[in-house]
Amino acid sequence: MSYIIYSGQFEKGTQEQQKAFIQLFGSEHVQYKFDFYFHWYNIIHEYGHCLCMHYNSDTDGLKQELLVNRFAVSIWQYAGYKNELDSLQKMINEILQRIVNPVPDHMSFTDYYRQIWETDEIMNVAVYGYFQFRSVQMVLEKREDLETVLGDMGIHKKITGGHMPYKKYSISAYTAKDVLHDIRDLLESLGVEQPLADVELVDDPSVHCAKHMDSYD
């Protein structure tokens, strides 16, 4: 099995598309924030989807989105990127103070998004953006251990050893391939069987997804 992760580029988007992300990230250092979130953090979020599909995880939809956020945070924490996760948490906290919380007062975060998950409402950039940022914020606050999260993904592996030399990434769209390669190497060192996977950069900055390559045969 093989997968491809499609990841959009802010600088290639239309003015209207860029404006939508400026509303989420703010106008200051928007390019860096976009790349830090999507091409450092979110690449591993998307790879989490690949692993869930490969291992036939019994999660889908909303539940899987929450799970792969747990995966991305736990593996970066395991790899020794605490400072980067702290910076991500600070950035997301600032974003959530600025954007509107769409969750009604009488509903929980999870119940609200479960209710709208397969409706047109979830396609609203602000509504979906709040979901992702808030769910990442929640897992950053908790920071679970990697072995527990892998188990919930269907990867029952005793985590011992494994090493990833610390690397200071130059944050840009081109960080994405290095990030995926390095995390795959870390998982390999832990004895985790993995599918083939690669990153393809696309112009549309709203496109961030993982697909089984057979989908296009």
Side-chain angles (χ1 to χ4, degrees):
M1 279 197 235
S2 57
Y3 297 87
I4 190 158
I5 297 170
Y6 294 95
S7 194
Q9 302 171 80
F10 176 82
E11 63 273 28
K12 298 289 183 69
T14 65
Q15 188 173 24
E16 184 177 354
Q17 289 171 327
Q18 290 180 354
K19 183 178 179 181
F21 283 101
I22 288 170
Q23 290 176 336
L24 290 175
F25 288 101
S27 58
E28 188 175 1
H29 307 304
V30 62
Q31 178 78 64
Y32 177 86
K33 291 176 182 176
F34 181 96
D35 289 331
F36 183 42
Y37 185 83
F38 285 110
H39 297 130
W40 181 79
Y41 172 78
N42 195 67
I43 287 297
I44 305 309
H45 166 112
E46 297 300 343
Y47 187 52
H49 284 301
C50 301
L51 291 173
C52 285
M53 289 184 277
H54 181 70
Y55 279 88
N56 295 313
S57 170
D58 63 352
T59 62
D60 56 17
L62 174 66
K63 188 175 180 181
Q64 190 174 113
E65 283 297 318
L66 297 171
L67 178 56
V68 297
N69 278 325
R70 292 167 59 205
F71 167 70
V73 169
S74 67
I75 198 164
W76 277 125
Q77 181 81 6
Y78 184 88
Y81 285 76
K82 179 183 180 301
N83 289 341
E84 285 80 359
L85 290 176
D86 288 347
S87 295
L88 181 67
Q89 185 170 7
K90 180 181 178 183
M91 184 181 85
I92 288 175
N93 289 345
E94 291 172 351
I95 290 169
L96 289 172
Q97 288 174 3
R98 184 173 58 252
I99 64 177
V100 175
N101 176 0
V103 181
D105 291 340
H106 66 280
M107 296 185 74
S108 72
F109 173 82
T110 304
D111 286 345
Y112 170 69
Y113 280 99
R114 186 180 293 115
Q115 176 179 288
I116 71 166
W117 192 254
E118 294 185 350
T119 71
D120 290 342
E121 192 172 353
I122 193 66
M123 303 307 294
N124 180 285
V125 171
V127 171
Y128 189 72
Y130 185 87
F131 164 75
Q132 281 295 355
F133 289 131
R134 176 62 183 128
S135 59
V136 174
Q137 182 189 55
M138 290 189 295
V139 296
L140 282 165
E141 290 169 350
K142 193 171 183 181
R143 303 203 190 187
E144 298 169 89
D145 69 276
L146 180 59
E147 186 173 319
T148 296
V149 177
L150 288 177
D152 288 347
M153 296 170 73
I155 306 171
H156 303 290
K157 190 77 179 175
K158 186 69 177 175
I159 299 300
T160 56
H163 179 63
M164 177 174 159
Y166 181 83
K167 179 190 291 186
K168 184 69 174 176
Y169 292 97
S170 177
I171 302 298
S172 74
Y174 299 100
T175 301
K177 282 184 176 286
D178 284 346
V179 160
L180 179 62
H181 176 272
D182 294 343
I183 291 296
R184 283 174 53 81
D185 278 355
L186 174 58
L187 286 167
E188 183 178 355
S189 74
L190 293 171
V192 175
E193 178 193 331
Q194 302 171 77
L196 295 174
D198 201 359
V199 173
E200 183 174 320
L201 298 175
V202 298
D203 289 351
D204 187 340
S206 66
V207 172
H208 301 278
C209 61
K211 299 286 187 182
H212 193 294
M213 290 186 70
D214 289 350
S215 299
Y216 296 92
D217 290 347

